[in-house]
Amino acid sequence: MTGIVESIGGGAISAMSSFRSTIFAAAVTIFKAFNKEICNSASFSVLISQIYFTAVEILPMFIAISVLLGTLVMGILFQTIKEIGLDQHLGRILVGFAVTELSPFVTVLLLALRSSSAINTEIAVMKVNREIDTLTAFRIDADRYLFIPRIVNGMISLVLLNGLFSIILVTSGLIFSKLIFGMGLATYSQILAGSVHLSDSIILVAKCLTFGFFITLIPILSGLRATYDVTTIPVSVLHGMIRVFLAIILIEVLSLVARFI
Amino acid sequence: MPRNIEIKVGIFIIISVLLIGASVGYVAYKKDAFSKVYTFTFMSKSGDGFSEGMPLVFAGFKIGTVDTMALSDKGTVLIKINIPERHIKWTRKSSIFILERPLIGQPRIVVYTDEMDSPVLSTDMAPEIFHVDSIDEAIHKVQPLLTKIDRILDNVVTISSKLSQKETLMEMAVGDKESVSSVNEFLQSIDTMGRRLDTILSKVDTVIARTDQGLYGSDGLVVLLRTVLTDIIGKLDRLNSVIDDIPTVTGQVVRSTGDLDNLRKDIDDTIHAVQELLKDIDKMIPMKKEREINVP
């Protein structure tokens, strides 16, 4: 019995410690990100390559998934709206659910599956191979050269890919509004515009930036927790991905609370 | 870093930013974000029901938004409403502004404009917004209706109880048994009348058939009349030719009349001679006084 309680207490303390260290690391990273010294050609080069691997390389697959998922979701959504007679709330549902909630959630899941795991593995391998120690030995700031470009890349990529996904969703919505409701472009855009609010847009962008920030920061921190043993790499990735998904859920909940309070 | 990676990333960022920017710009344009916005000040005796961001609605369409509210020195509430330039035409000096608070849904300020010829509302004016508390008003409106419904229900109960005492549906409909018997008698007489009417109609049918035969049959009046008329027309044709011959005949008659005169004279002469001869013969016959015969 005591062992169970001890286990629960240990887990809670570990979780709290991890959460605290993540928040602390986030604060330090934000502080460093606004440092002028961060902007140099090496960091910029890393940023460009990271954007390429994170956003450009997956673009065909991302667009294909967006079209497929967007078409299906919008078709089902519009048909359901028509069946239950909520036509007058079409714009609100389209913007409030599809654009503000579904689009960033799907985007962050796709990026987390592909990039977060890759970043976590990369950092863990660098740790095991003592590359990070080497950078420190040569007085190269790992934060400036390795971490911040990746985090900025995560934020930029997520905002841009989320924008593309939203445009595909809205375009699918236009097609289905024509097919299901016989609605023209003028009416559809009027409904859409009437349902978009500045506060929702700000929350959407903030959510995307936060998603992008944490789905790259957490894998980096998790990779740095790896020891010099190769076997710790998969454990590090496993823990990192679990934390990433917990962070996604937490941010989603907080954004919903922010929207509806 | 390979140059083509930089180009690809650059293209991706530019296209994405352009697409997102265009989408956001289009939505902003549709939301009148780029059009000039005028701020109008309205007055209200109370600030209850108003809130920032509340829509100003004309004919069901949102034409403005409540921007700010403030309490004036006079104790009235000043409400500033932003209206885009293209919607200003719906707010006239004669317009009435009413705060509607429906039982369900968001409260809103509704513009009623009957006279579109009236001058457009200027920003210097501060028209009053009237309150329509839908809940209180609904209760006030519903109260008399409820009273009427109560009366109607009482009447329905009375009628139902009266009807339940009747034996048949007919009795429920007409009221009492005497009326039911009257209705029955009337229905029976209708039956008799119907039979008579049938007989009459059959006779009328026979008469019509006969008349039809008399008129249009093979020996009918119409056929006979047609024959007679044909005959008359033939005779008229012949008479026409006779009439045409009349002038000729008349001339011949004139000539013949002269011949007749001559003939008559000859006949007269002959007769006269025969008479004379007879007289002579008479004279020659015994016992006649004159025997002398004069030959002409």
Side-chain angles (χ1 to χ4, degrees), chain A residues 49-224:
Chain A
S49 62
Q50 286 298 315
I51 290 175
Y52 178 76
F53 293 125
T54 307
V56 178
E57 264 197 349
I58 67 158
L59 203 56
M61 186 193 73
F62 182 80
I63 290 174
I65 289 172
S66 303
V67 170
L68 187 68
L69 194 66
T71 309
L72 275 172
V73 168
M74 296 310 279
I76 293 166
L77 186 69
F78 277 39
Q79 191 61 44
T80 309
I81 287 170
K82 190 182 181 186
E83 281 173 6
I84 60 179
L86 289 175
D87 306 22
Q88 69 271 25
H89 300 294
L90 179 68
R92 193 69 192 145
I93 293 168
L94 177 68
V95 174
F97 170 70
V99 176
T100 316
E101 297 302 331
L102 181 71
S103 173
F105 193 71
V106 173
T107 309
V108 77
L109 280 182
L110 287 173
L111 284 193
L113 284 169
R114 190 179 187 276
S115 297
S116 298
S117 54
I119 289 170
N120 200 330
T121 311
E122 185 188 16
I123 299 296
V125 168
M126 286 177 81
K127 179 77 184 290
V128 169
N129 290 338
R130 300 177 187 274
E131 290 177 45
I132 292 172
D133 292 341
T134 309
L135 288 173
T136 310
F138 282 101
R139 294 176 183 258
I140 296 171
D141 189 356
D143 286 346
R144 191 195 307 172
Y145 181 69
L146 282 181
F147 307 146
I148 290 177
R150 281 170 173 75
I151 291 168
V152 173
N153 150 63
M155 295 164 79
I156 292 173
S157 297
L158 213 134
V159 169
L160 293 179
L161 290 176
N162 174 67
L164 291 179
F165 193 92
S166 298
I167 289 169
I168 291 168
L169 270 183
V170 170
T171 310
S172 300
L174 172 64
I175 295 165
F176 280 103
S177 67
K178 180 74 179 171
L179 291 174
I180 295 172
F181 296 104
M183 202 180 281
L185 173 65
T187 313
Y188 180 75
S189 57
Q190 197 65 45
I191 288 172
L192 195 66
S195 307
V196 174
H197 299 290
L198 185 63
S199 57
D200 289 345
S201 306
I202 291 169
I203 289 172
L204 173 65
V205 174
K207 185 162 76 172
C208 288
L209 290 172
T210 314
F211 272 146
F213 183 83
F214 281 102
I215 66 163
T216 45
L217 177 71
I218 291 170
I220 288 169
L221 294 176
S222 188
L224 288 174

Side-chain angles (χ1 to χ4, degrees), chain B residues 16-73:
Chain B
S16 301
V17 168
L18 281 178
L19 278 174
I20 294 167
S23 304
V24 171
Y26 183 70
V27 171
Y29 168 73
K30 283 287 179 182
K31 283 180 80 72
D32 294 315
F34 303 123
S35 64
K36 194 175 178 183
V37 175
Y38 291 85
T39 303
F40 292 86
T41 305
F42 292 84
M43 190 197 76
S44 175
K45 289 173 183 171
S46 168
D48 285 344
F50 291 102
S51 62
E52 289 179 5
M54 179 187 280
L56 177 72
V57 177
F58 176 80
F61 286 86
K62 183 183 172 184
I63 62 168
T65 312
V66 173
D67 184 28
T68 56
M69 293 186 298
L71 192 63
S72 72
D73 296 335

